[in-house]
Amino acid sequence: MSTWDLLAELPVQIDDYALEPLIATVSSEFVRKSTVIHLHGGGEEGVGEDVTYEAVDHDILQAAGPLLAISGRFTLDSFAEHLAGLSLFQEPPQREVSQLYRTWAYESAALDLALRQAHTTLHAALQRDPQPVRFVVSLRLGEPATLEPVLSRLQSYPALRFKLDPTSSWDEPLIAALKSTGAVDSVDFKGLYVGSIVDQPADPLLYRRVVEAFPEAWIEDPKLTPETDALLAPHRDRFSWDAPIHSIADIEALPYPPRMVNIKPSRLGGLRSLLDAYDYCAAHAIGAYGGGQFELGVGREQIQYLASLFHADAPNDVAPTGYNLPETPAELPSSPLAPAPSALGFRWS
């Protein structure tokens, strides 16, 4: 029996739904918007978060309101099939991947609602025990890069671990100072993004400096050119992949058999796709860790819950959202996060 089989026939009744806008100023260059989907039915409410990145896509959704024809009685399987036949965007989204993000929002809300209507929890339905979740904080260091984002967080949280995005402005003194912190668990070269604000071209000098300075760190999404592929050949057992992973087929298509992949639930889209990917990784001895999309609401809690069930002891990029704000709040939870599933549904207290 697959993991999906444990959820597929769970019934869900949807009467109506509502949209809740969220917004946070992340930096001078980025105002993050997201939309929480609230599904109502049978006296219960289920929630999920649309983490589409382009603000205009949220503006259009929120201005239009709850127009989708999703009321009725379903199983989670039939709801996913019904949702796949609907147009989730009033206008074509800015990026094709946003279709997956929005699908995840509605399907995760339906899962939460179905579990609450069944008076149970995700871990009970999956017959798994939540475990403490090890996490890292994912950061960029500005342009030109400085130590401040790391040092300011370490000052308040000395045991914090990081996943950092190297850029070509990382010089040798900066890399040496980062190495001296002993706090870098993974480096994300962002080499497979195209047309985003985080694009980083292949830079052989940067790659060499970073992989030699952090010999234990996971190396995420390097861009493999003939030069960088040869340079990184001795380090392939540290490769991890994120941006290209939308399905099992994408894992199978990687240039080298992976030891580790970043499984972002919203990027896998639907529940079945996500759970099948977890099963595939387990069957092929591929490690996994969770990845966030700068969720502002329940979406972050839900990926922490999933991490606790499928890959708790990994460098999960699921830190509490406060760690990524320009001013880090006091008294944030430390790693590992203690298991905190809510009494019902797909929620993390």
Side-chain angles (χ1 to χ4, degrees):
M1 175 180 288
S2 73
T3 303
W4 169 241
D5 289 335
L6 297 172
L7 297 179
E9 297 307 312
L10 198 64
V12 61
Q13 174 188 333
I14 301 173
D15 298 332
D16 56 40
Y17 75 103
L19 306 173
E20 176 191 0
L22 298 179
I23 186 170
T25 300
V26 178
S27 69
S28 59
E29 299 177 352
F30 182 35
V31 176
R32 179 58 160 136
K33 291 186 177 182
S34 72
T35 304
V36 177
I37 311 297
H38 294 259
L39 301 183
H40 306 119
E44 298 287 352
E45 179 182 67
V47 290
E49 186 174 358
D50 178 0
V51 294
T52 298
Y53 271 93
E54 283 69 28
V56 64
D57 290 328
H58 291 285
D59 294 340
I60 293 169
L61 172 67
Q62 294 161 14
L67 299 179
L68 289 182
I70 55 174
S71 299
R73 294 181 181 272
F74 305 91
T75 63
L76 288 178
D77 187 54
S78 68
F79 177 74
E81 183 178 355
H82 177 73
L83 191 70
L86 301 177
S87 176
L88 304 185
F89 288 81
Q90 285 71 39
E91 299 179 19
Q94 301 296 301
R95 297 182 186 276
E96 185 177 352
V97 71
S98 299
Q99 295 279 357
L100 296 175
Y101 297 161
R102 190 156 292 175
T103 296
W104 172 252
Y106 284 99
E107 288 201 26
S108 58
L111 173 60
D112 185 35
L113 181 60
L115 292 167
R116 297 178 71 83
Q117 289 173 349
H119 305 290
T120 191
T121 61
L122 180 60
H123 62 277
L126 295 181
Q127 303 167 26
R128 292 172 176 257
D129 294 325
Q131 302 297 316
V133 176
R134 179 159 64 94
F135 69 80
V136 297
V137 174
S138 181
L139 285 180
R140 295 179 69 79
L141 302 185
E143 286 299 330
T146 72
L147 280 173
E148 193 280 332
V150 168
L151 296 183
S152 64
R153 288 163 175 80
L154 286 176
Q155 184 175 11
S156 300
Y157 302 97
L160 210 55
R161 312 292 298 178
F162 293 92
K163 173 184 172 183
L164 301 179
D165 297 355
T167 64
S168 295
S169 68
W170 281 31
D171 57 20
E172 289 186 343
L174 176 75
I175 292 171
L178 288 170
K179 180 177 180 179
S180 72
T181 69
V184 180
D185 277 1
S186 52
V187 291
D188 181 0
F189 283 121
K190 301 288 189 189
L192 304 182
Y193 287 91
V194 178
S196 76
I197 62 172
V198 298
D199 287 10
Q200 169 59 42
D203 183 336
L205 176 61
L206 174 70
Y207 284 17
R208 179 185 60 78
R209 286 174 170 175
V210 169
V211 300
E212 291 178 358
F214 306 104
E216 304 299 323
W218 290 105
I219 301 166
E220 188 173 282
D221 283 0
K223 185 171 181 60
L224 299 180
T225 65
E227 184 175 5
T228 61
D229 195 9
L231 183 155
L232 294 175
H235 308 280
R236 287 174 187 161
D237 64 341
R238 293 196 279 142
F239 283 2
S240 176
W241 304 95
D242 171 23
I245 306 301
H246 306 85
S247 65
I248 291 172
D250 290 334
I251 299 174
E252 294 175 332
L254 291 171
Y256 304 105
R259 286 184 58 224
M260 182 72 80
V261 289
N262 184 343
I263 299 291
K264 288 183 174 175
S266 55
R267 189 175 279 151
L268 272 288
L271 289 165
R272 180 171 189 168
S273 179
L274 172 67
L275 297 177
D276 285 353
Y278 285 149
D279 287 349
Y280 178 88
C281 288
H284 291 79
I286 300 171
Y289 55 87
Q293 303 274 29
F294 215 113
E295 299 84 1
L296 300 181
V298 69
R300 178 58 58 132
E301 301 160 15
Q302 290 172 337
I303 65 173
Q304 290 167 347
Y305 195 171
L306 288 165
S308 80
L309 299 179
F310 291 97
H311 40 73
D313 189 23
N316 290 293
D317 180 8
V318 300
T321 299
Y323 282 111
N324 291 105
L325 296 177
E327 298 294 330
T328 309
E331 300 182 0
L332 290 172
S334 60
S335 179
L337 294 171
S342 297
L344 293 175
F346 180 29
R347 305 194 198 185
W348 192 257
S349 298

